[in-house]
């Protein structure tokens, strides 16, 4: 059929099965918005900032496993969205972000709201396109969805000049994608997998090192089976939370800078690291030369560039986690789970020596208590998004995760302002779950305009603000490494968060005690409208344990007595 | 064991001929802090591909990352990191006409070259040889006061 470029965008989204998109209109994308007005096949959510649109699309993608879609205009609309693209790129989140561009005839003339969008997005997307002819649009959009979701997922940016959205051409979406230059290897070399399993059978202290790739691959349940069959203990990265259930005997905890003592000690003592979809991030490894120093390394990853990038892999396996783990399961008879009994009990001892815990020794509530309490009250019924800072680490440490895609947080870029819009996207994707955003008094102000979106769209996100009147994570580093010079991190001056929420039509609570907290959470869940629950928490609490930046995993700062004010 | 010694390497990259493919490659090098010593690019006859020859340097680990990261770019078809190869480079040199032309001509001949243009005040000579030999040639001809030198960058083919 002969249709305009703008109509092609709509038709392509429908053909891709998209049910919700996030966006913000403007001059260069108006033709597409005009077509959105005329259709009713998918729902458009108007965020109140383009950065929020992309974060919402990320939250939607992470919670649903589908490709998230955002639509924005040229110039400032696009530049506002860049943080979201970078965030999705770092965390391997599949997105298609479509931006308007000035008409072809004006490109390169410093036209109104012109910016070299593909030039900017090149380094923070998996791939990008500037579409110069509407004839290419069906192919480009189809490729964009395919590239975003396949292999190592990531954001794809499609920039469309305004005249191309007006151009009328033949639309046929029933085309085959033929990318001779892009063929992700998903299978995993069978011989190499066998060798890896033999190495595991020989090892005395093997350790599963579970990463976010497992979630991308929808392989958490297969991984659970492999862990249980082999009896090999497991640590999770921040991105992998929820792969194993919190109460799984074989799950040690998160490892890394703010990982548990037992997890980091296990990684330091293991003789064979079994890495599944994890990328040996510096927050995980600490000092590289001391990381798992005496261990062999099996590394399964779909991206060959992740393998032996930082830590040399003795058994590199390029493939999709699910395929590889299924093959491993077929060989699990090679492995005798009893053999690792002593190893498991050593790890138990580590955990008993320094468990992941906190002291309730202050007048104000402890932030960790709040996280734990939400876990007790809501548990599996909630999806948990976060902003960035101490509250984020406590959420990763203390929330009782029970399933994959329950945990939505910005790991690689660490983007303050991610949480609230992401939680909106999460709610849109999984309305049957309660959408919680653990946030800080700093972070919440970077995208609090999304109160309007949540109210308008009736997406009742519950924002739990752990208010320490500080940019707490930075304050912690200043306390520990800058001789307590708390430069520009004191947030004593604050808005009235309750009124702020109410001003947009949400509800708000200010909470000082445990009883008040329970009541507020219960009320917010019942009222089912967007909420701010501001919890006044201990100001000087530090996230512990902590591996100081560049230190070795086994040299942790451990839970200390309360710091003097 | 991975050694961290920096080595010179020639990498050939076959890419789809399309807008901005070259920026994708150079952005990758600058963004990840890799070196480019030289880069040449030309279309491959009767195909929709171009061939880039990149001379770079880095440790074994860095070179491995460069090839993997290049391969990760969507329009990249193939990446060859050459071990055994034939490498050539061309240079054009402008000399004042007042210099000893027969010396220059003989030298050029020794480096697969010749005088290719004679003007009113200057001559232009061309040589084509292995990059190390071109270096050598350029050192030797210094005494003939070259006014301008243009090097093409290396091109290479696996043996
Ligand atoms: C303040 C702060 C503190 C932090 N502290 C910690 C910490 O203490 N501990 C910690 O772990 N993290 C921490 N992080 C997060 C950290 O920055 C990284 O985001 C995280 O460690 C990366 O997790 P990952 O290795 O699982 O990789 P991801 O970023 O999830 O990458 C996934 C990997 O899997 C591969 N992959 C993707 N899909 C597939 C597939 N289908 N099949 C196979 N492979 C696939 C990818 O190629 C990639 O290599 C912190 C972040 C912040 C902001
Ligand atoms: C956009 C952005 N700017 C700056 C930072 C650096 N940063 C990391 S954590 C943090 C403090 C966050 O404060 P708050 O939201 O109150 O959380 P808390 O640590 O107090 O729990 C800052 C400024 C960042 N991660 N993102
Ligand atoms: Mg704070």
């Amino acid at each position: 059929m002969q249709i305009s470029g703008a109509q092609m965008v709509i038709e392509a989204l429908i053909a891709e099965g998209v049910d919700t998109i996030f966006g913000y209109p403007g001059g260069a994308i108006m033709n597409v918005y005009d077509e959105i007005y005329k259709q009713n096949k998918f729902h458009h959510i108007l965020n109140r900032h383009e950065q929020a649109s992309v974060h919402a699309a990320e939250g939607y993608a992470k919670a649903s496993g589908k490709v998230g879609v955002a639509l924005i205009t040229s110039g400032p609309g696009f530049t506002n969205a860049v943080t979201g693209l970078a965030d999705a790129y770092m965390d391997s989140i599949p997105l298609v972000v479509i931006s308007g561009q000035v008409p072809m005839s004006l490109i390169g003339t410093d036209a109104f709201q012109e910016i070299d969008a593909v030039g900017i997005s090149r380094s923070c997307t998996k791939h990008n396109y500037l579409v110069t002819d509407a004839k290419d649009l069906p192919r480009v959009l189809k490729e964009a969805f395919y590239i975003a979701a396949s292999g190592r997922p990531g954001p794809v940016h499609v920039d469309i000049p305004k005249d191309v959205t007006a151009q009328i051409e033949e639309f046929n979406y029933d085309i085959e994608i033929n990318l001779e230059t892009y063929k992700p290897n998903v299978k995993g070399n069978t011989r190499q997998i066998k060798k890896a399993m033999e190495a595991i059978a020989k090892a005395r202290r093997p350790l599963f090192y579970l990463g976010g790739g497992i979630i991308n691959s929808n392989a958490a349940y297969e991984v659970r089976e492999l862990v249980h069959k082999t009896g090999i203990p497991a640590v999770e990265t921040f991105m992998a939370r929820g792969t194993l259930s919190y109460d799984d005997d074989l799950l040690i905890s998160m490892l890394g800078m703010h990982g548990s003592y037992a997890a980091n000690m296990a990684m330091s003592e293991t003789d064979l690291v079994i890495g599944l979809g994890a990328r040996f991030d510096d927050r995980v490894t600490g000092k590289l030369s001391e990381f798992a120093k005496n261990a062999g390394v099996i590394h399964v990853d779909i991206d060959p560039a992740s393998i032996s990038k930082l830590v040399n892999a003795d058994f590199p396996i390029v493939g999709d986690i699910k395929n590889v783990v299924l093959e491993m399961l077929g060989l699990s008879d090679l492995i005798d789970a009893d053999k690792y009994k002593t190893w498991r009990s050593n790890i138990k001892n580590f955990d008993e020596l320094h468990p992941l815990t906190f002291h309730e020794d202050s007048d104000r509530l402890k932030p960790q208590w709040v996280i734990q309490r939400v876990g007790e009250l809501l548990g599996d019924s909630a999806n948990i998004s976060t902003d960035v800072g101490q509250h984020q680490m406590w959420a990763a440490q203390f929330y009782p995760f029970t399933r994959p895609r329950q945990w939505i947080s910005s790991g690689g870029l660490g983007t303050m302002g991610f949480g609230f819009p992401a939680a909106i996207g999460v709610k849109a994707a999984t309305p049957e779950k309660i959408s919680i955003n653990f946030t800080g008094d700093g972070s919440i102000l970077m995208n609090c305009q999304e109160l309007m979106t949540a109210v308008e769209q009736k997406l009742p996100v519950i924002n739990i603000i752990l208010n320490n009147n500080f940019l707490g994570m930075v304050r912690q580093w200043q306390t520990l490494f800058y001789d307590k010079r708390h430069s520009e991190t004191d947030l004593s001056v604050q808005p009235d968060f309750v009124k702020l929420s109410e001003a947009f039509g949400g509800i708000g609570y200010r909470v000082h005690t445990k009883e008040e907290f329970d009541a507020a959470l219960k009320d917010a869940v019942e009222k089912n409208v967007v909420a701010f629950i501001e919890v006044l928490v201990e100001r000087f609490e530090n996230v512990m344990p902590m591996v100081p930046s560049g230190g070795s995993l086994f040299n942790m700062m451990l839970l200390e007595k309360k710091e003097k004010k | 064991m991975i050694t961290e010694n920096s080595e010179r390497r020639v990498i050939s990259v076959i890419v789809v001929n399309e807008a901005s493919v070259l920026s994708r490659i150079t952005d990758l090098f600058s963004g990840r802090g890799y070196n480019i010593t030289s880069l040449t690019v030309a279309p491959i006859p009767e195909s929709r591909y171009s061939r880039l020859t990149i001379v770079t340097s880095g440790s074994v680990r860095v070179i491995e990352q460069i090839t993997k990261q290049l391969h990760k770019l969507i329009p990249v078809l193939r990446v060859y990191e050459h071990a055994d190869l034939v490498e050539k480079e061309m240079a054009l040199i402008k000399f004042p006409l007042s210099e000893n032309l027969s010396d220059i001509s003989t030298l050029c001949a020794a480096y697969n070259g010749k005088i290719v243009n004679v003007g009113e005040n200057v001559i232009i000579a061309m040589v084509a040889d292995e990059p190390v030999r071109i270096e050598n040639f350029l050192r030797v001809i210094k005494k003939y006061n070259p006014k301008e030198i243009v090097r093409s960058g290396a091109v290479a083919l696996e043996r």
Side-chain angles (χ1 to χ4, degrees), chain A residues 90-92 151-153 209-214 216-218 236-240 254-259 276-284 299-303 306 319-322 388-390 392-393 410-415 473, chain B residues 72:
Chain A
M90 291 293 275
D91 283 348
S92 307
R152 179 179 184 166
Y209 161 42
L210 309 177
I214 297 167
N216 285 333
S217 171
N218 291 318
E236 285 178 353
T237 67
F238 173 92
M239 295 300 287
M254 182 171 86
L255 84 164
M257 178 173 274
H258 291 303
L276 303 180
R279 57 186 176 85
F280 295 84
D281 185 84
D282 53 83
R283 299 268 141 159
V284 163
H299 191 178
V300 186
D301 203 296
I302 202 158
D303 178 4
S306 272
D320 184 73
I321 296 289
K322 192 172 216 152
V388 172
Q390 293 184 309
Q392 175 192 32
M393 290 301 116
S410 166
L413 200 65
T415 309
M473 182 57 94
Chain B
K72 229 171 116 168

Side-chain angles (χ1 to χ4, degrees), chain B residues 78-96:
Chain B
R78 260 192 282 280
V79 183
Y80 304 102
E81 190 226 307
H82 296 292
D84 186 18
L85 48 80
V86 175
E87 231 188 295
K88 292 287 177 208
E89 180 172 359
M90 197 181 93
L92 294 173
I93 312 98
K94 208 181 258 179
F95 293 103

